[in-house]
Each structure stands twice: as structure tokens, then as C-alpha cells.
Amino acid sequence: MESGMVREDQPEGVQEEVLQDRSQPQMSVDEVYALARHCREERDYQMEAYWYEMLLMYRDVEKELLVKTQYYCGEAYFDAGNEKEALHWFEKAARQGHKKAKLRCGRMFSQSKDDRDQEKALYWLEQVAEEGNPELQHLCGDMNCQGRGTKINYARALYWYEKASPWGNSSTNFARGMMYYLGEGAAKDYDKAFDCLKKAAGGKHAEAQYRCGWMYQHGEGTRKNLKKALLNYEEAVENGHVGALYQLGNMYYHGEGVKKDRKRALSIFKEAGNKGETGAQLRCGWMYYRGEGTKKDRQKALHWFEKAGQGGCTEAWLLCGKMYYKGVGTEKDCAQALFWCDKAVQAADCPENAEAKYICGTIYVAGENSEEDREKGRGLIREAAEQGYRPARFALRFRF
């Protein structure tokens, strides 16, 4: 482009400089850079960007300076709040090998929800990651593992996690460990998994501490060692891992690695249950129901079963339904019984689906409902009978 050409959106001062007569000496590159740096000192990023852009549009400069100026122009536009123009100049510099520009492109594209932008993000980030940045190597591993910017590629994800591993990042070691544990990107290998997870656990990675506890408890990738399992669960609990708290309760409940203590177990389960752990809530319900580590208290049992049910525990749905249906721990309430048992009926994975159908069926048949509801009830009882539930078979033979 000739030096006399002007963009309409340029400030008057810039136009005056550009429109100078060709016979007049041009400003040197150093002078333009000095003006741009002054603009940055004054935080006038828009004007800084214009000076760099003028240099790029109206002067022939060496490639090394050209690429550097493209990057600076992108930075100025970015700081001025114009990310679209910033990305335009960052991409120009990135295509010519500017490392920081590649990183900027990767970071900026990664903020988009558009799949094509995520693909561009991964493209640029992987280029920078190859040069040895462990943080970016881990990020590239995550993107390949999660299918961001590419199809899920566990082998590629593991490749990046392995490249990042020498720096000892606990998150990276945890990711590597879980891939070997699950057999994702490589053959399942509990020994390698345990080695990686143990390194991550040493960095106070709570999930890794929990996983090490599990592997010590079950002898996966290492010799079974209940004492070490207990220790790892305790460390994970200290770092806020609720699942580890539940497993710790189980060890006290069964006496694994520690003397059996149902009272202590109940205390731990209650703590985990109050933090939303449904397995612990269910266990609390059973312990109050049976009087384990405490006196029998069916009302408290129902309270915990309902908490577990509200958290999506299918087993708890039927338990709540049965207790309301029979009036155990509460007054008999067919409406509540129907509410809970119907949830169990709708859940294909509920192990007691047939019993739930029978209870719903008898409520529909016995209630003051329409003939349509009574027929629905008889249908549910027939389904329960077909699933082998004996009370339903008896009802069909002698009552219907």
C-alpha cells in the first residue's frame, strides 16, 4: 500500500503524518516505536495500536520486526478492549512462529463455546505445548480427554500428560494414574496407576489420596494394606474429600484396619451424610433402623432414608415408600408412600422394582379412585407377579 493512502477511521494526527508529502522524510521505525511506547505509558492503547498498524500498513520492515510488531499491535488492541482486532494480529504473528502470539490465540479461542474455535485453540496450544510448557501440556491432555476441539482421544491425552509429568504436577499425575487405572489411552495397568496416584497423593491431591486408599484397601497395584488405606482416607478427609469420609466410616463399621466401632462409624456417616454423601445417608438410615451403634429410632431412620432419596438413591425410594405405607417411624400416609414407590417403579435400575409396583398397585386398588386408577393398580400388581414377587402372585390368585 502506498504511503499516501489513509484509513478513514484513523485519528486526525495519524492522517496528517501519513498524508505528508512523499518528498518529506518518513518517520523512522524507532520514532514510531517511541510514540507507541509513549501511548502505552499513558495507557492510550487505542492510539498505540494505530501507530503499530501504521507501521505495518505503510512501511516495509524486516520479518523479525514485522512479526514482533504484529504481536505488539495485537496486545495494544487487546488492552484497548477490541479482542476481534487483537486476535486478527495475534493470528498473523502466530502463523509466522511467534510463540507468545500462539499462546494468545490458544487462550482466546479456548474461551469460545464454538466447536471450530475450540479446534483452533487446541491447534495453537499444542504447538506451544510441544516447546515444553507443562501447564499447557496438561491443558492439551484435558482437551483431548474431554473432546474439546477434537474427538475424544485418550491416547493423545495420555501423550500430553506423560510429557508434563517430569515437572511433578499432582493434577497431571492424577490424570495419568486414572488413565492407567481405567485403561484409557493404554492398557489397564494397576501398578503404573498406583505409582502415578501415589505421587499425586504426595502433593495433597484429595482425589488421589482417596484412590490410593481404595487401592491399598483392595490390593490393586500394591499389596493390600488396611492401615495405609485408613491413613490415605484420613488424609483425603483432611483435604475435604466426602467420599473418603464415607469409606472411613465403612472401615470403622466393618473393623478394617481398625477396631470395629459402630458408634464411631455412625458419627462419621452422619458427618458425610450432612455433606450430601447419599451412601452415608442410606447407611445412617439402616443403622438407626436396626439399632447399630445407637438405639433403634425408626423416625430418624426415615429422616435419613428421605435425605438419601432426595439425593437420588433408588434403594431409599422404596424404603421410604414402605415405611409410609406401613406407618413405620411415621403415621401411615398412602400419598407419601405412592410418591416414593412410584419413583422406584419408574427407575429401571431399582433392585426392588417389583415390590414398589405391588405397593403402588394396592394403593390404587384400595383407594377411592376412578375405575381407571383401579385398573392401573391391578396392572401394576400383575407386573409385580410376573417379576416373581410372591405377595403379588398371592393377590392375583385370591383377591383379583
Side-chain angles (χ1 to χ4, degrees):
M1 184 178 287
E2 295 182 359
S3 61
M5 296 181 67
V6 179
R7 280 175 36 174
E8 293 181 358
D9 60 346
Q10 292 168 358
E12 291 183 4
V14 177
Q15 291 181 10
E16 290 173 4
E17 294 290 340
V18 176
L19 287 172
Q20 62 184 311
D21 189 273
R22 291 187 183 183
S23 63
Q24 298 294 322
Q26 291 183 327
M27 293 174 64
S28 71
V29 172
D30 288 341
E31 287 174 320
V32 175
Y33 261 81
L35 286 168
R37 284 194 295 270
H38 176 72
C39 291
R40 175 155 287 271
E41 290 171 0
E42 296 295 320
R43 298 186 179 181
D44 187 353
Y45 303 121
Q46 187 70 30
M47 194 63 189
E48 179 193 10
Y50 274 124
W51 283 117
Y52 286 132
E53 196 166 1
M54 290 308 101
L55 183 61
L56 291 164
M57 293 177 69
Y58 302 122
R59 292 290 302 274
D60 292 326
V61 294
E62 296 178 359
K63 180 179 178 181
E64 183 178 344
L65 181 60
L66 173 71
V67 177
K68 182 169 68 172
T69 306
Q70 288 170 337
Y71 176 74
Y72 288 157
C73 191
E75 269 198 331
Y77 271 121
F78 184 86
D79 292 338
N82 190 337
E83 293 192 7
K84 184 177 180 180
E85 277 295 312
L87 193 54
H88 167 77
W89 289 107
F90 284 145
E91 281 197 281
K92 279 183 173 292
R95 291 191 192 101
Q96 297 184 74
H98 195 284
K99 183 177 177 179
K100 288 185 178 179
K102 292 177 183 179
L103 179 57
R104 286 278 201 163
C105 289
R107 294 290 194 192
M108 291 178 74
F109 278 122
S110 70
Q111 300 302 312
S112 171
K113 294 182 179 180
D114 186 274
D115 290 341
R116 289 171 296 181
D117 286 345
Q118 287 289 318
E119 187 176 348
K120 290 178 182 178
L122 183 59
Y123 171 77
W124 290 117
L125 290 172
E126 286 195 321
Q127 288 200 31
V128 182
E130 283 288 5
E131 298 177 26
N133 185 315
E135 179 190 351
L136 295 183
Q137 289 166 344
H138 181 93
L139 178 57
C140 290
D142 285 348
M143 292 181 75
N144 277 280
C145 190
Q146 297 161 10
R148 290 166 47 206
T150 182
K151 292 181 179 179
I152 290 176
N153 188 335
Y154 291 130
R156 184 70 174 168
L158 185 57
Y159 164 81
W160 285 115
Y161 290 141
E162 291 286 9
K163 285 185 76 70
S165 65
W167 285 267
N169 182 287
S170 59
S171 295
T172 301
N173 282 318
F174 173 73
R176 290 172 62 220
M178 290 309 299
M179 296 195 80
Y180 283 120
Y181 186 87
L182 298 171
E184 294 176 338
K188 188 178 291 190
D189 190 327
Y190 286 158
D191 290 345
K192 282 186 178 180
F194 181 75
D195 181 60
C196 296
L197 291 170
K198 190 175 180 181
K199 290 177 181 177
K204 296 187 178 180
H205 192 289
E207 184 67 20
Q209 291 168 334
Y210 168 76
R211 293 287 176 176
C212 284
W214 179 272
M215 295 181 81
Y216 274 124
Q217 186 179 5
H218 298 89
E220 295 177 341
T222 184
R223 289 185 179 181
K224 186 173 182 177
N225 189 322
L226 297 178
K227 293 288 185 181
K228 288 186 177 180
L230 192 72
L231 179 61
N232 274 269
Y233 286 143
E234 288 174 339
E235 289 175 345
V237 168
E238 288 177 8
N239 287 308
H241 198 289
V242 179
L245 191 61
Y246 172 57
Q247 291 299 334
L248 193 61
N250 277 327
M251 296 192 79
Y252 276 99
Y253 182 88
H254 295 292
E256 294 182 294
V258 67
K259 185 178 179 181
K260 185 184 292 187
D261 188 338
R262 295 287 169 85
K263 186 176 181 179
R264 172 73 174 139
L266 179 59
S267 175
I268 294 172
F269 287 139
K270 286 168 69 176
E271 183 182 350
N274 285 325
K275 292 181 178 179
E277 170 55 56
T278 55
Q281 291 164 348
L282 183 66
R283 182 76 78 173
C284 285
W286 277 120
M287 292 184 78
Y288 275 114
Y289 191 91
R290 295 167 176 160
E292 296 177 325
T294 184
K295 293 180 180 180
K296 285 185 181 180
D297 191 327
R298 300 295 169 78
Q299 188 174 355
K300 286 184 179 179
L302 180 59
H303 164 78
W304 284 106
F305 286 146
E306 285 192 293
K307 284 178 76 74
Q310 289 161 2
C313 177
T314 56
E315 183 181 346
W317 293 343
L318 177 63
L319 292 169
C320 290
K322 288 169 68 174
M323 291 181 77
Y324 275 112
Y325 181 64
K326 297 178 179 179
V328 177
T330 182
E331 292 183 2
K332 183 169 182 175
D333 188 332
C334 287
Q336 281 293 314
L338 192 60
F339 169 79
W340 287 110
C341 285
D342 186 61
K343 289 175 74 69
V345 167
Q346 302 303 321
D349 62 337
C350 181
E352 306 296 340
N353 185 274
E355 186 175 2
K357 287 180 179 178
Y358 174 72
I359 293 173
C360 287
T362 56
I363 292 173
Y364 278 125
V365 170
E368 296 179 0
N369 305 311
S370 64
E371 179 56 36
E372 183 180 349
D373 279 348
R374 287 193 289 273
E375 182 55 38
K376 179 180 179 179
R378 287 189 283 269
L380 285 168
I381 293 171
R382 280 194 292 271
E383 287 181 25
E386 289 169 2
Q387 288 178 241
Y389 189 61
R390 292 181 65 184
R393 288 181 173 179
F394 180 85
L396 284 179
R397 178 176 294 183
F398 296 104
R399 295 172 60 187
F400 305 111

